[in-house]
Amino acid sequence: MGSRGWIAAIVIVALAGGGWKYSQGDDEGGNQSRAVAAEVLRGDLPISVVERGNLKAANSLELKSEIEGSTTILMLIEEGTYVEEGVLLAELDATGMVEKRVSQQITTQNAEASWIKATQNLEIQKSQNLSDQASAERKLAFAEIDKQKYTEGEWLNQEQKAKDDILLAEEDLERAIDTLAHSAKLFDRGFITRNEYDADVLAKQRKEISLEQVKRTLEVLTTYTNPREIQSLDADVLEANREIERVALQAKARLVDYEAEVRSALARFELETEKYDRLEDQIAKAKIYAPAAGMVVYAQPEGGRNSSGEPLREGSSVRERQNIVTIPSSEGMVAEVSLHESVLEKVQTGMSCTIKVDALGDLELPGTVKFKAVLPDRNSWMANPNQRLYRTEISITESDPRMRPGMSCSIEIHVEVVKDTLYVPVQTIFRDGGESIVFVYTNAGGVEKRVVEVGSFSHLWAQLLTGVEEGERIALSVPAGQTLAPAPQVQSISEDESMGDDGSNGPGMPEESSGMPDRGGEGGPGKKKGGRPAGTGGPEKSAALKGEGSNRKASKSSVAGGANEAEAPGSQK
């Protein structure tokens, strides 16, 4: 066994040899037994923190439930099975999602049909808009042509015809005047009758009337008909331009409606498709396959006040993102441990450690502190509101093929080595009021109560800076006739944490404020509040607890045997 296993050796040797150096006999009066004593030693004092933990793979593949909400495990491969990549490990209940998929498929198809219909309606409207725009442009062209035809053709013809009619009427009138003048001469001579003369007069009057009519026709065309027709044609052109603008605006408005309908139908189709794809994905994720070859390890049941803590099995209910199985990597192992808040500041990343796996006998493996959590483990304080544990990982630098994930182990974290100092067992230090004291046996056979200053300490040993000398013998329990004052009340400390088994602050142990751990011990879980350090650090702590329990009894019945002295770390003989 190497020097790193000194703790177990100390306790085993101490118990086997009869405990610390002690003596038993009557005092001068013959009616008092001397309590078991320990000797103040000088030497190098290793300070360490011992905790219990479990092995886990340094790099492992954690397979979780990716089913939304809660579901049930239908099939779960046997733990410890070595599987190849692609092997089915677990199957979760997805019956409800299979039924939803059928309904969702119909909804998705209807949404797709609505989207296609909206798309076709949009294309039809685009084509209709082109037709309406072309028709409006044709109306404008026709209106412009009609205006040009009138101004450059019809109006000129009408004006020229009216002028020609006037010329003809004037010529007809001149002929009628000449005819009437000739007829008047003939009538005076008696060559024609009155009727013939009157007919020529009437013909002249008709010609005058015809001339006036054609003149009025030209005046009406020029004054009224032509301006009105031009204004009408201009209005037609203007209205045709406005019609083009209206058609363009109407086309945009109709396109906005149809495009909005297309976007809405497309968004609905994409949403329904996403729902369908999610159902397909969820159904596919109901079967969990091995992503790589390795050994199957069930996930540890979650702790917490409302957790049953039962191991996973077929029929168990799992929530989303809950770990189901783990496939550890064969690249290495780490030890996972929970540190109590009382020793958290002692432990720093990079500190060396010694790991002893319970199942591998005396095998000791070196390691270093790899990670220390900043916040306490949520499950620990949910299970016990008065307890704060911080998850810590220990990297094991040398591996052993026999190690398996989940194996229990003891981790000793080497905090420091105090050089050439005085140290005593932690059981010898008591609290008297607000002071740390020890009971020193004098050469005269009496007991002297001394105030001491405590320095660094571990779960077994404590450094004393003042108050004692090397070689002095101090009591491991309160000697007969001695009493301890109760600890002062501190408002911030709860009654459960401040009071020991006997109603005081443990059997005289120093409080945290004085630099010593409370009687709940350093390790946190499994330690007894207010009492001696409980056996959470493996066999060595359990043995120390047994030895301590015997020391708390009367000395005359606690130990039988000769005087022996236990080997202490770094002691100088």
Side-chain angles (χ1 to χ4, degrees), residues 25-212:
D26 294 338
D27 59 3
E28 294 177 356
N31 57 0
Q32 181 179 352
S33 295
R34 179 169 293 177
V36 178
E39 185 176 326
V40 179
L41 302 176
R42 176 178 291 277
D44 295 342
L45 175 61
I47 303 298
S48 62
V49 174
V50 179
E51 290 294 343
R52 299 289 299 173
N54 298 299
L55 297 182
K56 76 170 189 178
N59 297 310
S60 58
L61 299 174
E62 294 182 347
L63 303 180
K64 304 179 180 181
S65 169
E66 298 187 51
I67 302 298
E68 297 176 356
S70 180
T71 187
T72 304
I73 299 177
L74 299 181
M75 188 279 290
L76 185 62
I77 195 170
E78 185 177 354
E79 187 174 19
T81 304
Y82 187 87
V83 296
E84 297 293 338
E85 181 179 355
V87 173
L88 180 64
L89 303 180
E91 183 176 359
L92 306 179
D93 186 11
T95 306
M97 287 181 286
V98 173
E99 296 174 354
K100 288 181 181 179
R101 180 177 60 179
V102 177
S103 175
Q104 185 61 37
Q105 185 177 14
I106 296 173
T107 304
T108 304
Q109 291 175 351
N110 291 336
E112 183 181 12
S114 298
W115 172 57
I116 294 175
K117 180 180 178 181
T119 303
Q120 297 301 325
N121 288 338
L122 176 62
E123 296 301 323
I124 292 172
Q125 186 59 45
K126 288 180 178 179
S127 176
Q128 183 64 44
N129 289 345
L130 293 176
S131 299
D132 294 343
Q133 190 173 4
S135 176
E137 290 174 352
R138 284 195 301 272
K139 288 182 180 179
L140 175 60
F142 292 161
E144 291 175 345
I145 291 173
D146 289 342
K147 178 182 178 181
Q148 185 178 7
K149 181 181 72 171
Y150 175 76
T151 57
E152 297 180 5
E154 291 180 354
W155 162 245
L156 295 179
N157 290 336
Q158 292 175 2
E159 184 182 26
Q160 187 63 39
K161 182 177 181 299
K163 290 180 179 181
D164 291 344
D165 290 341
I166 291 173
L167 290 176
L168 292 175
E170 288 176 346
E171 291 177 358
D172 290 340
L173 179 59
E174 289 177 358
R175 284 196 298 270
I177 292 173
D178 291 340
T179 301
L180 180 60
H182 182 68
S183 296
K185 291 177 180 181
L186 293 177
F187 178 73
D188 290 338
R189 293 178 182 180
F191 290 111
I192 59 174
T193 64
R194 169 62 68 178
N195 289 336
E196 291 176 337
Y197 176 76
D198 290 339
D200 291 336
V201 173
L202 183 59
K204 173 182 172 291
Q205 291 177 348
R206 285 194 184 102
K207 298 303 179 181
E208 289 176 347
I209 293 171
S210 297
L211 178 61
E212 291 296 329

Side-chain angles (χ1 to χ4, degrees), residues 350-498:
M351 286 185 174
S352 62
C353 308
T354 300
I355 301 95
K356 186 174 181 180
V357 182
D358 296 350
L360 302 183
D362 295 335
L363 177 65
E364 295 181 353
L365 300 170
T368 55
V369 179
K370 178 182 178 182
F371 166 80
K372 182 177 69 171
V374 178
L375 299 176
D377 187 4
R378 179 174 177 268
N379 292 332
S380 67
W381 64 260
M382 288 185 64
N384 183 358
N386 295 324
Q387 179 173 260
R388 296 293 184 270
L389 302 180
Y390 291 78
R391 187 174 65 87
T392 305
E393 283 188 2
I394 308 299
S395 176
I396 302 176
T397 55
E398 294 182 7
S399 184
D400 188 283
R402 296 175 295 171
M403 292 193 300
R404 295 290 185 271
M407 284 185 173
S408 300
C409 60
S410 174
I411 300 101
E412 179 187 353
I413 303 173
H414 305 296
V415 177
E416 62 176 330
V417 177
V418 182
K419 297 292 185 179
D420 191 24
T421 187
L422 296 177
Y423 58 91
V424 295
V426 293
Q427 290 92 337
T428 62
I429 305 174
F430 303 90
R431 292 294 288 175
D432 185 25
E435 297 177 327
S436 299
I437 61 119
V438 296
F439 293 100
V440 181
Y441 288 112
T442 64
N443 294 330
V447 177
E448 179 185 354
K449 182 191 297 185
R450 293 187 191 173
V451 177
V452 294
E453 181 181 356
V454 180
S456 299
F457 57 89
S458 66
H459 63 295
L460 290 177
W461 303 93
Q463 177 191 18
L464 295 184
L465 301 177
T466 61
V468 295
E469 298 292 338
E470 180 182 359
E472 288 185 319
R473 295 168 56 252
I474 55 179
L476 283 167
S477 60
V478 180
Q482 297 289 337
T483 59
L484 297 173
Q489 296 295 327
V490 180
Q491 186 175 0
S492 61
I493 301 178
S494 65
E495 182 178 355
D496 289 341
E497 294 176 334
S498 63

Side-chain angles (χ1 to χ4, degrees), residues 239-270:
E239 185 62 27
N241 282 312
R242 290 175 178 174
E243 180 67 16
I244 290 177
E245 294 178 357
R246 282 197 300 271
V247 168
L249 293 175
Q250 289 175 352
K252 290 181 180 179
R254 293 191 185 103
L255 284 181
V256 168
D257 291 339
Y258 282 100
E259 287 173 351
E261 185 178 352
V262 170
R263 288 194 300 268
S264 176
L266 178 60
R268 182 170 176 267
F269 172 58
E270 290 176 346

